[in-house]
Amino acid sequence: MKREIVLIVARASNGVIGRDGDLPWHIPEDLRHFKALTVGTPMIMGRKTFDSLPGLLPGRRHIVITRNATWFAEGAEVAPSLEDAMSMAGSGTISIIGGAEIFQLALPYADRIELTEVHVAPAGDTVLPPFDGWAEVARSPHAGFDFVTLRRG
């Protein structure tokens, strides 16, 4: 089965990726970038990440990993593990969109990371360590943030 696993993450310079179930910044360009990267792909996420979305995002499958066997949300597919979620997603590009625990679980399977480096150091309750062993293959600088593509080094 031919597929590409892509982690899509925005991380502050201090490693923060979230605060109180939301992003600690609002960057419209990053939201547009996220949409461009994920439209047409299955998105795998944890339940808290799903809960943080404004609703179902058009043009994408929502595969939610949760330990709660009775959890249900209209329009979401439920998986008990990352492996089950990836099997459900099938072939092609699969977007892993968070949170921190899901990113850590998916990292060994990832082919590429689409990282938004946010040049702030906000307070937060969800942190993701640097991606060691990955090579930067593209960078697009913007005011206050950079879009960076990483591949295994």
Side-chain angles (χ1 to χ4, degrees):
M1 176 181 343
K2 179 98 169 106
R3 66 180 173 202
E4 181 183 35
I5 308 297
V6 181
L7 274 60
I8 301 171
V9 59
R11 185 179 66 212
S13 54
N14 62 351
V16 168
I17 64 169
R19 180 177 60 224
D20 299 327
D22 205 354
L23 296 173
W25 50 76
H26 179 72
I27 304 172
E29 296 93 331
D30 184 46
L31 298 175
R32 287 191 291 275
H33 185 66
F34 176 86
K35 180 179 181 179
L37 290 168
T38 59
V39 164
T41 73
M43 297 185 309
I44 295 175
M45 69 203 81
R47 185 203 41 83
K48 290 178 187 175
T49 297
F50 179 82
D51 289 344
S52 75
L53 298 176
L56 292 175
L57 304 179
R60 291 154 271 197
R61 287 174 60 198
H62 296 66
I63 302 173
V64 180
I65 300 170
T66 180
R67 293 178 193 95
N68 182 346
T70 63
W71 184 84
F72 172 82
E74 189 69 38
E77 301 170 58
V78 179
S81 70
L82 175 65
E83 291 75 14
D84 288 324
M86 290 192 306
S87 179
M88 291 167 63
S91 61
T93 300
I94 299 170
S95 299
I96 309 291
I97 67 165
E101 183 179 349
I102 303 302
F103 286 136
Q104 294 289 18
L105 289 171
L107 195 58
Y109 301 98
D111 300 296
R112 176 169 46 107
I113 299 171
E114 293 294 339
L115 173 64
T116 302
E117 289 183 345
V118 184
H119 305 304
V120 296
D125 53 22
T126 309
V127 176
L128 193 62
F131 297 109
D132 294 328
W134 289 79
E136 182 177 317
V137 297
R139 179 175 292 267
S140 175
H142 299 266
F145 65 95
D146 293 352
F147 293 136
V148 182
T149 301
L150 304 172
R151 292 219 178 252
R152 289 205 178 273

